[in-house]
Amino acid sequence: DFRSYPWHKGLWKAILDPDITHVTTCWGTQLGKTAFQVAYLSWRCVTDPVPVLIAGPDERLCRTVSVNKIQPILKASRETRRLLPALEHNIKDLELDLRFSKIYFGWSGSASTLGEKSIGVVIKQELDKWTQKASIEGDPASLAEERVKDFVEYKIIQDSTPTEEGLSRIRTQWELSDMRT
């Protein structure tokens, strides 16, 4: 049902296409970027579980997204609630265990949270707020994408509200895409 977010139709068509590996949303604020991601994440955890990395600009935002957006949806849905640990206190803010897969959180200022794991779905949130500085390990956005190498069928979702022209990472990624709507 797309009554709340009719512009999500194209996103769902793209994300379900097995030939598309990257989905980029370059939208304004409060237009449902996270709603789409949580819906896809929930669907994926039930139908085709893989490890997931949700990466954001900083630890605070990652924790907020986990606690206030993702966990309530996972707990509210009968299908995903059955995948959560039986004891409420076993749920961690930055690593969610869903029986057949895990959801990890990482942020642009921490190479260790973006690396070291094989990931089937990478969700890069608010890309224009990420640090522009590369660490010894490399650019944080590229480091997150490296996690999918072990998966033949992977998805990378990236979003942001665009910032300054010429400096916007999401705008650059959008321009590299086929710019579907």
Side-chain angles (χ1 to χ4, degrees), residues 37-47 70 73-74 77 79-80 83:
Q37 294 165 4
V38 174
Y40 175 69
L41 174 68
S42 299
W43 174 81
R44 187 71 190 254
C45 287
V46 172
T47 61
I70 294 174
I73 296 298
L74 295 176
S77 165
E79 294 296 320
T80 53
L83 301 175

Side-chain angles (χ1 to χ4, degrees), residues 40-93:
Y40 175 69
L41 174 68
S42 299
W43 174 81
R44 187 71 190 254
C45 287
V46 172
T47 61
D48 186 16
V50 294
V52 175
L53 172 64
I54 299 175
D58 58 46
E59 181 179 359
R60 183 197 59 76
L61 183 62
C62 288
R63 193 174 305 279
T64 298
V65 167
S66 174
V67 171
N68 297 331
K69 296 187 178 187
I70 294 174
Q71 289 184 43
I73 296 298
L74 295 176
K75 291 173 186 174
S77 165
R78 181 174 36 105
E79 294 296 320
T80 53
R81 184 174 52 246
R82 67 182 176 81
L83 301 175
L84 292 168
L87 299 173
E88 183 76 19
H89 65 273
N90 285 341
I91 297 176
K92 301 173 187 171
D93 291 349

